[in-house]
Amino acid sequence: MNQPETLVQKLLNGDQASFAELVEQYQDMLYNTALSIVQNNSDADDITQEVFIQVYLSISSFKGESKLSTWLYQITISKALDHEKKKKRNKRYGFIKSLFGISETTEALPVEFNHPGIQLEKKESSNALFKALKKLPDNQRIAFTLHKIEGQSNLEVAAIMNMNVTAVESLMSRAKVNLKNTLQDYYNEKFKDQ
Amino acid sequence: MNKDEHIKRLIEASINSTDGMNRATPKPFLLTRISAKLNTAAGSSWERIAAFIGKPVFLIPAFCFIILINFFVIFNNNTATAPVLTEQSSATTADDFSNTTATFYDTENP
């Protein structure tokens, strides 16, 4: 297995086999990040493909100032957030589009997202967490996803999000407070008759 | 255990529910699908040009440019077709209207 620097160098030289190796090495990482953000398997798969296509087409713009994984995370997060915005926009203007006969196949959002990697006994509590995550501001959601779900250190999260470690720590603590409040409301509603 | 305490525990369990989770894997043959998309993307340069023309970053300035040209043409034509006022002397006016009578027939010398 090649080191990331060697992989990048080989890619710059147009080595097709190294692209296959890059996909093999990073596909799970990128897919999981996209999945935690968009919370839809098929959308996450599309985003992963788009990320690798962009990497293939723009590898020359990678200067090597950051780690390859940092650059890949940045592209994935940007694509996943764009995808979410596009989906929201389509949903908002869906009625107007239907008036003009522009039909778009918009699949209905699943009510509950089941992350395939979650242990069976934690499914219910993780459903509540992913629902609450959707309500967080983007930067808090990304910080929480990278740190808690992807298991990245605060330093790495800071590099990915282009901010300092203190700012990441502050984002994380605000994210936790907001998540606790949302979950409190969720469980209060769930057990209000008991 | 009262309700509040139970909810507190559930919240903590939710926040920590991703601890020890396994990684999800994308659908099989990801590389094949990426290669297929790459081939399609590289296939037609006309499609890329059409996609660029369809982008707002091109459309909006192009639309403004066309509107500007229209204004330019309209105002330019107005000034070009305005009547040109020139001073005319009575002599030139007389020439223009041929105010002199023809003297082909001299009545004094028949």
Side-chain angles (χ1 to χ4, degrees):
Chain A
M1 191 184 282
N2 282 308
Q3 289 297 306
E5 298 80 28
T6 324
L7 211 54
V8 171
Q9 202 50 53
K10 281 186 175 176
L11 271 171
L12 283 168
N13 295 335
D15 181 18
Q16 292 296 317
S18 60
F19 182 66
E21 197 182 322
L22 179 95
V23 173
E24 187 61 39
Q25 264 190 52
Y26 292 98
Q27 59 177 349
D28 287 357
M29 179 188 99
L30 303 190
Y31 177 73
N32 276 273
T33 309
L35 185 63
S36 301
I37 297 170
V38 297
Q39 299 184 14
N40 180 297
N41 295 307
S42 130
D43 289 349
D45 200 79
D46 286 343
I47 291 163
T48 312
Q49 288 178 46
E50 282 173 29
V51 172
F52 281 117
I53 289 170
Q54 187 172 329
V55 168
Y56 184 84
L57 298 174
S58 61
I59 189 71
S60 55
S61 67
F62 177 65
K63 305 287 176 222
E65 287 161 359
S66 61
K67 279 161 66 177
L68 178 64
S69 60
T70 305
W71 187 56
L72 294 174
Y73 269 127
Q74 284 171 340
I75 300 174
T76 311
I77 290 163
S78 148
K79 291 239 179 244
L81 292 177
D82 281 350
H83 185 89
E84 277 199 324
K85 278 179 200 153
K86 199 176 160 189
K87 220 168 180 180
K88 274 182 196 163
R89 209 166 40 231
N90 282 344
K91 211 173 158 187
R92 201 176 297 148
Y93 298 117
F95 174 69
I96 299 165
K97 281 184 177 175
S98 69
L99 285 178
F100 290 99
I102 306 163
S103 61
E104 269 186 32
T105 49
T106 47
E107 50 184 288
L109 279 172
V111 181
E112 281 186 348
F113 167 65
N114 284 308
H115 194 290
I118 297 280
Q119 293 152 17
L120 196 64
E121 66 269 19
K122 290 180 178 174
K123 287 267 180 207
E124 207 183 325
S125 46
S126 77
N127 279 343
L129 175 71
F130 279 110
K131 259 186 208 165
L133 268 174
K134 278 266 180 196
K135 292 181 180 171
L136 283 184
D138 284 348
N139 53 2
Q140 290 178 25
R141 185 155 54 111
I142 300 304
F144 187 88
T145 303
L146 290 171
H147 186 67
K148 280 287 278 182
I149 303 178
E150 281 300 301
Q152 297 295 320
S153 67
N154 280 346
L155 198 70
E156 184 63 28
V157 176
I160 295 166
M161 296 183 76
N162 277 327
M163 42 175 68
N164 58 41
V165 180
T166 324
V168 171
E169 283 167 356
S170 156
L171 272 179
M172 277 299 295
S173 78
R174 273 184 284 150
K176 277 182 185 166
V177 169
N178 286 335
L179 280 174
K180 278 183 182 172
N181 290 337
T182 313
L183 287 166
Q184 178 87 45
D185 293 344
Y186 170 78
Y187 285 118
N188 278 340
E189 184 68 24
K190 195 175 175 186
F191 298 113
K192 75 176 173 189
D193 297 330
Q194 289 175 20
Chain B
M1 185 165 52
N2 64 19
K3 189 180 148 186
D4 286 347
E5 207 172 303
H6 178 57
I7 287 177
K8 221 175 214 176
R9 282 189 182 193
L10 284 172
I11 291 169
E12 279 307 313
S14 284
I15 290 197
N16 298 320
S17 63
T18 54
D19 291 352
M21 69 186 271
N22 297 315
R23 275 191 176 271
T25 47
K27 281 185 248 170
F29 310 113
L30 181 71
L31 181 65
T32 316
R33 281 177 284 138
I34 293 167
S35 304
K37 272 194 180 176
L38 268 171
N39 289 337
T40 322
S44 160
S45 56
W46 284 110
E47 275 176 26
R48 269 181 287 160
I49 293 167
F52 176 71
I53 290 171
K55 280 182 181 174
V57 72
F58 177 83
L59 274 179
I60 294 166
F63 181 73
C64 293
F65 182 65
I66 289 167
I67 296 289
L68 266 174
I69 286 178
N70 274 289
F71 273 112
F72 178 74
V73 168
I74 289 165
F75 288 112
N76 231 20
N77 274 356
N78 277 350
T79 50
T81 54
V84 183
L85 294 171
T86 50
E87 279 186 22
Q88 283 185 310
S89 67
S90 57
T92 53
T93 314
D95 284 346
D96 284 349
F97 288 95
S98 300
N99 241 358
T100 50
T101 47
T103 52
F104 292 120
Y105 310 105
D106 199 342
T107 48
E108 286 180 7
N109 300 305

